[in-house]
C-alpha cells in the first residue's frame, strides 16, 4: 500500500469546508466565477457504477467522467467562508461550513514560514460584551417627566475642537450686561455624535469610499444630520478637495503622510475648509503596528492619490520624529493648525492602551489649548490588513479606558475641554445607538465607527473568522478591493442609501434613549443613568450594580 | 415636592411673613422641614451690617469647639442672640440643643485687609468649623457672613415656627430679604445640610425641582472651588454655578441662564451674540442643568431673581405691591401675604427669562 502522506493539505485542515451536492448542481459555473479567492475549482471525477441487468446477479461496472466542483487545498487560495458561492447558486447546491477541526493556524505557519496576515477584526470570541451588561436604568417618570421622543427637540450634537476653560474665555465686559469676545478662540464645530471612522481610499474600493462620501453629503444636505466622515490616511480625490462637500470631511494624516502632497497642492483651490484634521498615532485593532497596504491593492488611481509607485505601502508604526507627547503637540498640531490658519480643529487618534490616561492627561494639561479631540480606538475595531497575532492578541478594550480618561478629566476639573471620542467594536451587535449612548453616559462626547459602515455596505465578515480577507485585495463584496470586476459588484447608490437609512434609524433610537432619562442634550458623563448587571463591571466603571 | 418662596421689601419684615407665605402651600410639600436665609438684617442685627454673623445649630460641645476655633483665628464676639424656644410637648421638630447667632469683629490682623481677603477668611473659617463639628455631629454651620443669617430645622414647618416663636411678628428679628423653603430633602438622606436655601459668600439659592444633570454638575464643580462641597442635595449645584458665574468669572447675572439652560444650538445660531453664547455653552457644558426646576437666587447686593428650567416644568409666580415683592411656588402664598396687591401685575416667568428684583424693588424681566 502506498505510504499515506500525512502532511499533505486537505480540506479538513482548512477553516471552512465546502459542502457540495452534485445531484443538485446544474453545472452553471456561477460559483466558480464568483469565488474571488479561487477556493473552488471545476474538476472531472471518475465514477464507477456497478449494475446488474438480468434476473440473476451479473455485476458489471460502468465508468463515467462527471464534471464537479471541488474545494482547493492551497494555503494561499483557500475558502474564507464568504458564502458568495451559496449566494449565486440557483439550486442551493453549494455552501461553506465552518470546520471546527481546522489546523489552519498551524499549517499556514509551517508551510509559509511567515506570519499570518489578514484583515477584519479580532477573532477571539469569548466573554459577553461589557456594554451588554449595561442598561439605561435611571428612568424619569414621576416628578421629573420623560420626554416624547417623537415630538421633543433634542440637541444631538457633540463638540469637535478644543474647548477653553471658562476662565480663559477672552470676554470683554461691555455696558448693559453684555460681554463680547476679545481674541480668537480655538475652532470648535458641533457635529453628529457618530463620526464615520477613518477608512482610506486604498483600503476601500473607490466605489465604497465614494458611497460613504455620498451618504455623508446626503445626511448633511438632505436629512439635517451634521455627520462627519474621516478620510483615512491616503488622500482624497482632487474633485472632492475642490468641492463644497469638503466641509463634511475630516482629513487624516498618519505616519505615512500618504496623500498630503495632493492635499497641500489643492489648498489654493479649496472653496471650503475641511471639517477637521485627525492625526492618527495608532489604531485599536493593531496597536503598535503600522498600516499595511499590500501591493496587490495599489492600483493606478491609488498610486496617483497617494503619490507612490506600485509596491507594498507601509505606514510606520510611529510618526518619525515624535519622541514625546509634548513634541507631538507642538510639532504636528502647530503645523496643521497653521496650515488652515487656525480655522480647522485638529484632533488626535490613539489606540487604547494601558497608558492612554497619561497621554490624555498630558494633552489636557497642554497650555496651548490646541488639541481638539482625543479619539480613542479600542481592540475590537477593524483593519484592512494586519498580522493576525497583532489583531488577536494586542490591544485594549475601549469601555473602561474611555471611562478612565473621562474620570481623569474629572479629577483635573477639565472634562469636555478635549472632547473624547471612542471606538472599537461599537455596534458589533448591530445596534450602534445603544452602544453610543452608553459610551456617552460613561463620558464620551461621541463615538466613531468604521467596521459597521462596511457591514452596512454588505461586508460578510464577522468575529468568528468569516471572510476577514480585506488584506488580499479580493474582497468578495467589492468593498476592500481595487479589482475592477470585484468593485463592480458594489452598487454605490445602494450602499449610500443603506448608510443613510441606518443613520436615520439610529437617530430615532438615540432619541428613544434620551427621552426616558428626560434629557434634551447628550448626557455626557451621566453614569448615574446606567446600571450594570455585573458587579465587577459596575465597580470598575463606578456605576450602580443591579440584579 | 418642595415649595419655595422669597420676600423682598423696602421695610424690615419678620419671618412670620415667610411662614405665612409657605403655610398656605402646605399641600404641595410634605411638611418635613423649614429653612430660611435672611439678608439685609434689621432689629438687633441692624447696627452690625458690616460684621459677619455665624448661624449654627449645635450641641454644647459644638459651641465650645466653634468658639475655640474662632478665638484662635482672632475673631471677637460682639453680639450673641439665640431664639427663645418653646419646647412644648407634641411638636413635630427634630431640634438641636442650641441655635446660635453670633456676630463677630474681624481679627485685628485683618484691619487693613481688602474686602476680598475678608470674604475668603469667612469662607475658610466656615469650612473649618463645618469640618470640625461634622465629625461627631456636634453641629451644623450654615452661614458665616455679614448681614445674613440662616435657620434650618427638620420637622413640621408650623411646629418649627412655634418652637422658635416665629409666628408672632416683632421688631427684633427682621430682614428686608427673606428666602424660605419647606420640606427636608427626602430624595436623599435626611440631613440638615440638604435643606435649601444654601448660602456661599453672599450668594443664596433655593430650588423646587430636580436636577438630572446633578452628577455632571457635581463632578465638575468639585474641582472648581474649595467652597463647593457637601452636595447633599442636587439643588446645591444651582448655588455653586451662580457663585461661579457671577463671582468667580465675574459675568453679568444675565449669563447665568445661558449657563444653566443654554439655548438650543439652532437658536444660538440665529442670534447676534452667537459667538459668546456658543463659547459659554461649550466651556460650561458641565454646568448645564436638566430636569424640572425653579430657582430663586439672592445676590450680595440684596437683589433677588428667579428662573426656571428650559421646559418650564415647575411653577413660580412673582407678585408685588409698591413696598414688597414676593416670589412663590404657588400663587396662594402671595395671596396670603399680599392680599391687596393688583394680581393682574403678577408675573408667571416663562422658560426663557429671568425675573430680577433689584435693591430699589424694581421688577425686571430679562429675556434669555
Ligand atoms: S464560500 Fe466564498 S471563498 Fe468559499 S468557495 Fe464560496 S465563494 Fe469561495
Ligand atoms: S467582505 Fe470584504 S470587507 Fe468584509 S471581511 Fe470580507 S474582504 Fe473584508
Amino acid at each position: 500500500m502506498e505510504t499515506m502522506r500525512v502532511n499533505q493539505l486537505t480540506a479538513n485542515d482548512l477553516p471552512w469546508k465546502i459542502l457540495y451536492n452534485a445531484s443538485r448542481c446544474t453545472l452553471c459555473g456561477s460559483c466558480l466565477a464568483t469565488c474571488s479567492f479561487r477556493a473552488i475549482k471545476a474538476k472531472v471525477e471518475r465514477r464507477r457504477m456497478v449494475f446488474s441487468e438480468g434476473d440473476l446477479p451479473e455485476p458489471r461496472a460502468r465508468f463515467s467522467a462527471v464534471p464537479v466542483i471541488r474545494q482547493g487545498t492551497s494555503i494561499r487560495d483557500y475558502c474564507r467562508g464568504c458564502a458568495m458561492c451559496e449566494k449565486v447558486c440557483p439550486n442551493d447546491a453549494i455552501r461553506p461550513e465552518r470546520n471546527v477541526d481546522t489546523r489552519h493556524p498551524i499549517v499556514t505557519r509551517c508551510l509559509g514560514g511567515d506570519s499570518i496576515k489578514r484583515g477584519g477584526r479580532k477573532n477571539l470570541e469569548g466573554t459577553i460584551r461589557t456594554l451588554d451588561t449595561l442598561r439605561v436604568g435611571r428612568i424619569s417618570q414621576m416628578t421629573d417627566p420623560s420626554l416624547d421622543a417623537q415630538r421633543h427637540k433634542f440637541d444631538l450634537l457633540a463638540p469637535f475642537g478644543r474647548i477653553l476653560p471658562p476662565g480663559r474665555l477672552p470676554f470683554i465686559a461691555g455696558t448693559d450686561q453684555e460681554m463680547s469676545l476679545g481674541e480668537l478662540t480655538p475652532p470648535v464645530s458641533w457635529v453628529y455624535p457618530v463620526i464615520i471612522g477613518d477608512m482610506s481610499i486604498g483600503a476601500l474600493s473607490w466605489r465604497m469610499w465614494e458611497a460613504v462620501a455620498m451618504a455623508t453629503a446626503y445626511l448633511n444636505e438632505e436629512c439635517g444630520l451634521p455627520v462627519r466622515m474621516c478620510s483615512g490616511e491616503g488622500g482624497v480625490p482632487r474633485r472632492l478637495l475642490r468641492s463644497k462637500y469638503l466641509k463634511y470631511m475630516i482629513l487624516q494624516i498618519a505616519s505615512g503622510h500618504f496623500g498630503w502632497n495632493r492635499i497641500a497642492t489643492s489648498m489654493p483651490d479649496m472653496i471650503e475648509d475641511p471639517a477637521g484634521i485627525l492625526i492618527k498615532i495608532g489604531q485599536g485593532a493593531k496597536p503598535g503596528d503600522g498600516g499595511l497596504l499590500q501591493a496587490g491593492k495599489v492600483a493606478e488611481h491609488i498610486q496617483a492619490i497617494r503619490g507612490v509607485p506600485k509596491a507594498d505601502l507601509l505606514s510606520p508604526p510611529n510618526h518619525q520624529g515624535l519622541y514625546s507627547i509634548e513634541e507631538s503637540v507642538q510639532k504636528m498640531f502647530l503645523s496643521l493648525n497653521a496650515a488652515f490658519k487656525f480655522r480647522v480643529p485638529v484632533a488626535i487618534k490613539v489606540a487604547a492602551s494601558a497608558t492612554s490616561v497619561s497621554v490624555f492627561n498630558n494633552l489636557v494639561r497642554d497650555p496651548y489649548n490646541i488639541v481638539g479631540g482625543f479619539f480613542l480606538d479600542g481592540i475590537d475595531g477593524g483593519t484592512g490588513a494586519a498580522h493576525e497575532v497583532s489583531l488577536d492578541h494586542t490591544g485594549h478594550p475601549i469601555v473602561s479606558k474611555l471611562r478612565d480618561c473621562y474620570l481623569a478629566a474629572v479629577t483635573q476639573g477639565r472634562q469636555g475641554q478635549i472632547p473624547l471620542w471612542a471606538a472599537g467594536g461599537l455596534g458589533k451587535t448591530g445596534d450602534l445607538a445603544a452602544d453610543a449612548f452608553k459610551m456617552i453616559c460613561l463620558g464620551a462626547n461621541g463615538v466613531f465607527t468604521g467596521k459597521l459602515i462596511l457591514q452596512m455596505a454588505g461586508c460578510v465578515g464577522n468575529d468568528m473568522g468569516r471572510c476577514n480577507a480585506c488584506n488580499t485585495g479580493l474582497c468578495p463584496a467589492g468593498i476592500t478591493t481595487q479589482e475592477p470586476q470585484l468593485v463592480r459588484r458594489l452598487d454605490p447608490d445602494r450602499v449610500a442609501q443603506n448608510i443613510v437609512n441606518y443613520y436615520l434609524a439610529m437617530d430615532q433610537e438615540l432619541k428613544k434613549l434620551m427621552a426616558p432619562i428626560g434629557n434634551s442634550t447628550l448626557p455626557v458623563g451621566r453614569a448615574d443613568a446606567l446600571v450594570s448587571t455585573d458587579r465587577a463591571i459596575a465597580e470598575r466603571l463606578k456605576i450602580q450594580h443591579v440584579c | 415636592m418642595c415649595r419655595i418662596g422669597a420676600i423682598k421689601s423696602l421695610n424690615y419684615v419678620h419671618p412670620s411673613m415667610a411662614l405665612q407665605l409657605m403655610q398656605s402651600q402646605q399641600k404641595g410639600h410634605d411638611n418635613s422641614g423649614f429653612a430660611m436665609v435672611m439678608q439685609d438684617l434689621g432689629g438687633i442685627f441692624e447696627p452690625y451690617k458690616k460684621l459677619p454673623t455665624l448661624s449654627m445649630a449645635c450641641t454644647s460641645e459644638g459651641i465650645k469647639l466653634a468658639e475655640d476655633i474662632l478665638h484662635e483665628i482672632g475673631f471677637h464676639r460682639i453680639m450673641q442672640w439665640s431664639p427663645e424656644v418653646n419646647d412644648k410637648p407634641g411638636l413635630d421638630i427634630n431640634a438641636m440643643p442650641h441655635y446660635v447667632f453670633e456676630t463677630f469683629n474681624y481679627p485685628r490682623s485683618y484691619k487693613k485687609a481688602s474686602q476680598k481677603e475678608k470674604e475668603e477668611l469667612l469662607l475658610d473659617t466656615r469650612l473649618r468649623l463645618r469640618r470640625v463639628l461634622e465629625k461627631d455631629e456636634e453641629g451644623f454651620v450654615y452661614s458665616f457672613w455679614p448681614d445674613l443669617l440662616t435657620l434650618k430645622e427638620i420637622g413640621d414647618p408650623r411646629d418649627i415656627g412655634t418652637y422658635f416663636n416665629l409666628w408672632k411678628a416683632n421688631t427684633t428679628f427682621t430682614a428686608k430679604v427673606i428666602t424660605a423653603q419647606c420640606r427636608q430633602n427626602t430624595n436623599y438622606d435626611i440631613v440638615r445640610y440638604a435643606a435649601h436655601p444654601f448660602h456661599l459668600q453672599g450668594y443664596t439659592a433655593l430650588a423646587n425641582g430636580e436636577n438630572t444633570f446633578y452628577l455632571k454638575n457635581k463632578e465638575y464643580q468639585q474641582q472648581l472651588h474649595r467652597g463647593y462641597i457637601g452636595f447633599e442635595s442636587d439643588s446645591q449645584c444651582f448655588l455653586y454655578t451662580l457663585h461661579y458665574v457671577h463671582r468667580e468669572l465675574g459675568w453679568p447675572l444675565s449669563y447665568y441662564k445661558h449657563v444653566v439652560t443654554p439655548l438650543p444650538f439652532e437658536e444660538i445660531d440665529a442670534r447676534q451674540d452667537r459667538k459668546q453664547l456658543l463659547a459659554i455653552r461649550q466651556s460650561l457644558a458641565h454646568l448645564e442643568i436638566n430636569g424640572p426646576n425653579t430657582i430663586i437666587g439672592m445676590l450680595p447686593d440684596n437683589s433677588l431673581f428667579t428662573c426656571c428650567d428650559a421646559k418650564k416644568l415647575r411653577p413660580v409666580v412673582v407678585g408685588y405691591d409698591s413696598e414688597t415683592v414676593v416670589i412663590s411656588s404657588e400663587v396662594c402664598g402671595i395671596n396670603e401675604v399680599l392680599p391687596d396687591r393688583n394680581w393682574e401685575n403678577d408675573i408667571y416667568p416663562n422658560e426663557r427669562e429671568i425675573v430680577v428684583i433689584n435693591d430699589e424693588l424694581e421688577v425686571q424681566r430679562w429675556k434669555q
Side-chain angles (χ1 to χ4, degrees), chain B residues 139-283:
Chain B
F140 300 88
V141 186
Y142 298 126
S143 58
F144 185 34
W145 200 253
D147 210 15
L148 177 140
L149 51 86
T150 309
L151 181 69
K152 296 186 181 184
E153 210 31 274
I154 299 172
D156 186 324
R158 249 173 319 195
D159 292 351
I160 294 172
T162 309
Y163 183 82
F164 290 113
N165 281 313
L166 291 180
W167 281 108
K168 257 218 338 265
N170 61 34
T171 51
T172 45
F173 190 48
T174 57
K176 288 190 181 167
V177 199
I178 302 179
T179 59
Q181 184 259 156
C182 281
R183 183 205 196 217
Q184 181 56 46
N185 194 331
T186 45
N187 289 356
Y188 305 92
D189 288 343
I190 301 278
V191 272
R192 287 176 174 77
Y193 281 131
H196 8 163
F198 307 106
H199 173 260
L200 175 63
Q201 290 192 315
Y203 293 84
T204 302
L206 56 166
N208 165 21
E210 237 169 283
N211 175 11
T212 54
F213 272 5
Y214 165 67
L215 183 71
K216 280 179 76 155
N217 289 178
K218 174 183 154 178
E219 284 182 340
Y220 190 63
Q221 290 170 336
Q222 272 169 340
Q223 303 300 326
L224 282 180
H225 194 273
R226 68 189 189 291
Y228 303 167
I229 56 155
F231 296 98
E232 293 86 0
S233 151
D234 54 3
S235 300
Q236 262 155 321
C237 302
F238 305 140
L239 171 69
Y240 297 152
T241 296
L242 174 64
H243 178 271
Y244 186 67
V245 169
H246 199 253
R247 180 184 162 106
E248 296 299 301
L249 293 175
W251 295 354
L253 179 64
S254 53
Y255 289 94
Y256 179 62
K257 185 77 176 138
H258 286 291
V259 172
V260 291
T261 59
L263 293 170
F265 288 104
E266 248 181 54
E267 285 177 40
I268 289 182
D269 214 38
R271 299 252 307 213
Q272 279 211 317
D273 53 354
R274 60 180 160 274
K275 271 199 192 142
Q276 292 89 307
L277 298 190
L278 196 62
I280 291 172
R281 180 162 189 183
Q282 279 165 193
S283 291

Side-chain angles (χ1 to χ4, degrees), chain A residues 161-162 329 333 346-348 363 366 369-374 417-419:
Chain A
R162 179 57 180 241
V329 169
F333 279 85
V346 182
I348 186 174
L363 296 176
D366 136 47
N369 296 316
I370 41 182
V371 181
F374 194 64
Q417 291 172 15
I418 294 186

Side-chain angles (χ1 to χ4, degrees), chain A residues 404-470:
Chain A
D404 289 349
C405 285
Y406 178 73
L407 291 175
V410 168
T411 307
Q412 290 199 42
R414 287 172 172 275
Q415 52 269 58
Q417 291 172 15
I418 294 186
L420 277 166
W421 290 79
L426 304 181
K428 199 170 176 176
T429 55
D431 185 355
L432 185 55
D435 286 358
F437 188 80
K438 291 171 186 175
M439 292 303 277
I440 288 172
C441 289
L442 291 171
N445 290 90
V447 302
F448 53 109
T449 179
K451 200 174 61 188
L452 187 65
I453 302 285
L454 304 191
Q455 281 166 311
M456 292 175 205
C459 162
V460 295
N462 67 19
D463 303 288
M464 288 169 302
R466 193 184 194 204
C467 199
N468 291 325
C470 326

Side-chain angles (χ1 to χ4, degrees), chain A residues 37 80 82 84 119-121 203-204 383-384 454-455 458-462 466-481:
Chain A
F37 304 104
R80 312 286 179 138
C82 72
M84 289 296 159
R121 64 283 283 157
L204 299 189
T383 176
L454 304 191
Q455 281 166 311
C459 162
V460 295
N462 67 19
R466 193 184 194 204
C467 199
N468 291 325
C470 326
N471 62 318
T472 58
L474 300 172
C475 171
I479 296 170
T480 54
T481 172

